[in-house]
Amino acid sequence: MPNNRYYQEYGPIYRRRAGQRPPLADDEPPPDEPRRPRMRRPVRHRRRVPVWLWLVVGFVLLVAVPTGALYAVDMVYPETILPGVSLNGESIGGYTHTDLIIELRQRYRTFEQQPVTLTFRDRVWRPTLTELGVTFDIEQLVHRAFSLGRSGDPLTRAYELWLLWQEGIDITPRLTVDLAQTQRYLLGLAPQIERLPADAVLRLADARVVGQPSQPGTQLLVDATANDVLLAIRALQPQTVPIRTRQIVPQIDDTDLVVAQQIADQLLRSALELKVEDQTIVWTPERLAELLRVTPVDGRLTIEVDPDRLARAVEGLAQMIDTGTAEPRLRFSDGRVRIVAEGQSGLRLRQADAVTAIADMLMQPSPVTRTLTLPVERIEPLITAATLDNLGIVELVAEGRSSFAGSAPYRIANIRAGAARMNGVLIAPGEEFSFNRQLGEVNAEHGFVEGYAIIGNRTQLEWGGGVCQVSTTVFRAAFWAGLPITERYAHSFYISWYDRFGLGPNGDGQGLDAAIFTGVQDLKFINDTGRWLLMQTSIDEQAQVLVVQLYGTRPDREVRIEGPIITNEIRAPTEPVYIDDPSLPRGTLRQTDVARSGRDISIYRIVTEADGEVRRELFFTRFRPWPNIFVRGSG
């Protein structure tokens, strides 16, 4: 058993620490004996620092030292951009805020003034940034550069400073684009760029076949051009950008035109002879060309007969062929009618059949003259002296009046001839009366002379100038009789002659005239009275008044008018118009038309039948403003 001093002094302690009971020394009493207290050596302890305090101190040092370093940057570089900042790869560190703005203004001045040049063929547009909807803010760019390493939370600033120290930070200018504004600007250029495709056109004029080649169209590609513009301005240097377009192919190209030209040449190679009994009417290729029309159908040019033009042409033929009424000419006086000229058989063109036959002939090309016998019917008089009392012509139904005071001798002569063609004419119940067919050909054989008439856009010499005085007076008689008017044309411009008696029982006024032109404009109305009508004309040479009266059985109806309502008045042109006439010697100057103002005139005819039925009909007239017109000799 060890009993050295060390063990004696510290062994018990060691054992106790080891969890063992120490052995008793030789001189130690047994456990049940009281232990003697022993003196222990005093132990000296050091005072320890708490761990949490070390953590606080460490955190303070960790935050304070870098933060102080961060804010020390502002003291080292107080007014300049930090080193390591570059713009598009070019260092701008060390610039002051103001100096960099001046530098960039100078650098991008040309771009700001003229960012892009848009081109299309030989045209050029130079929009501004504002027009393109682009914003380029240099001050904001400089602010971004100056803020690097100086803004944000400490960690962000520290990270930016670390990047500036390690590798630098490069910034690029920013452009803000309003794409909708860019597109709006480009759309504004569309009217100057875009063009609709033009199909090939074939015209038939004066028997000449004139072809106009097709032209492709152009469409502006707005989105593609806008994309090119945005790519170009990214360079921040003036750029030239071609405007993008696409070509629009016409539906009818030049190949179709060539085929149609060949067909038209064949159709117009020869004239057309129209025969009726011993009369021959020749329609030249020039006349035939007026009856054809060129129509695009399914991408091809087709040549066909114009049905409306042909119908009008056949109407003109009827006015030349028809002999008018075959019935005897009558005179109503003293309450009775009598025959003043016996009826004569005549001819009447079957217009519907004629239209069909001529249309078929027109579409048959022939190298020589084509000949067609027109379908006509012979008409015989139905009225005899024995049947006069059955016609129902017992009273005046209505009359029309007009004044031709101040008319030239040629005009008075034609008024007499036209009135004679209408005098004593019978109109059967339900028949449509045609003024032109009853008038017949306007020539010397029927007593007409040359005089001035409204042809096209001016007054010129024409056979029968002044016959419209007769048609106007006939129209007024039919108007006040309440007869249905199926065709009526007003004059092109105001004529003062027609004011007198113009509104019938309502006195003088304008708006109730009727212009006719053989083969083009007619006056037509229907006899709906249920009995025969007799048209009777008379001329008061002294008062220079023409009277047209309709006799028959007056229908139980009331006729009245509302108006005239005059609107849209336009002053007469102040500038005269001069027309060269090679038939007159050079230096000759003659005024053919006097300036007149224009206006619209509306007159409503209200017809009230016995059963209470009311017809309200508008008769509209548009007088165009008319200048002073002079014809000057150029021969």
Side-chain angles (χ1 to χ4, degrees), residues 135-151:
T135 302
F136 180 41
D137 194 338
I138 289 180
E139 293 187 3
Q140 184 183 22
L141 176 62
V142 173
H143 178 73
R144 282 177 54 207
F146 193 80
S147 298
L148 287 175
R150 288 189 169 97
S151 62

Side-chain angles (χ1 to χ4, degrees), residues 292-456:
L292 299 177
R293 68 181 181 187
V294 183
T295 307
V297 178
D298 297 331
R300 296 182 299 107
L301 290 175
T302 61
I303 301 176
E304 57 188 7
V305 176
D306 188 316
D308 294 333
R309 293 180 182 178
L310 181 57
R312 288 195 298 268
V314 171
E315 176 75 19
L317 284 177
Q319 295 169 21
M320 299 171 60
I321 296 170
D322 291 3
T323 55
T325 180
E327 305 302 333
R329 298 292 181 103
L330 306 184
R331 187 76 183 172
F332 184 89
S333 60
D334 299 329
R336 295 182 61 85
V337 291
R338 57 187 178 87
I339 297 176
V340 295
E342 294 296 332
Q344 297 180 353
S345 61
L347 294 177
R348 180 177 296 161
L349 178 65
R350 300 202 307 271
Q351 294 189 41
D353 295 337
V355 167
T356 301
I358 293 175
D360 292 341
M361 184 67 71
L362 286 177
M363 299 308 296
Q364 298 177 10
S366 174
V368 295
T369 301
R370 293 162 284 184
T371 302
L372 175 66
T373 300
L374 292 172
V376 295
E377 59 183 354
R378 186 164 292 279
I379 55 176
E380 301 293 338
L382 301 176
I383 305 303
T384 63
T387 59
L388 289 180
D389 293 339
N390 300 327
L391 301 180
I393 302 175
V394 295
E395 59 186 336
L396 177 66
V397 175
E399 75 173 20
R401 290 174 176 265
S402 67
S403 170
F404 54 91
S407 293
Y410 77 84
R411 197 168 186 278
I412 296 175
N414 289 326
I415 291 172
R416 285 201 201 98
R421 299 288 294 171
M422 303 296 138
N423 191 32
V425 170
L426 281 169
I427 306 171
E431 178 184 351
E432 182 181 52
F433 172 81
S434 165
F435 184 90
N436 283 348
R437 276 203 297 260
Q438 184 58 45
L439 186 68
E441 285 196 80
V442 179
N443 53 26
E445 182 180 350
H446 289 154
F448 294 97
V449 298
E450 282 190 303
Y452 285 96
I454 304 171
I455 308 297

Side-chain angles (χ1 to χ4, degrees), residues 10 129 133 165 201 206 227 280 326 356 369 411 540 573 580 608 611:
Y10 298 104
L129 287 174
W165 177 63
V201 176
D206 298 332
N227 187 62
T280 299
T356 301
T369 301
R411 197 168 186 278
D540 186 334
D580 292 331
T608 305
D611 59 1

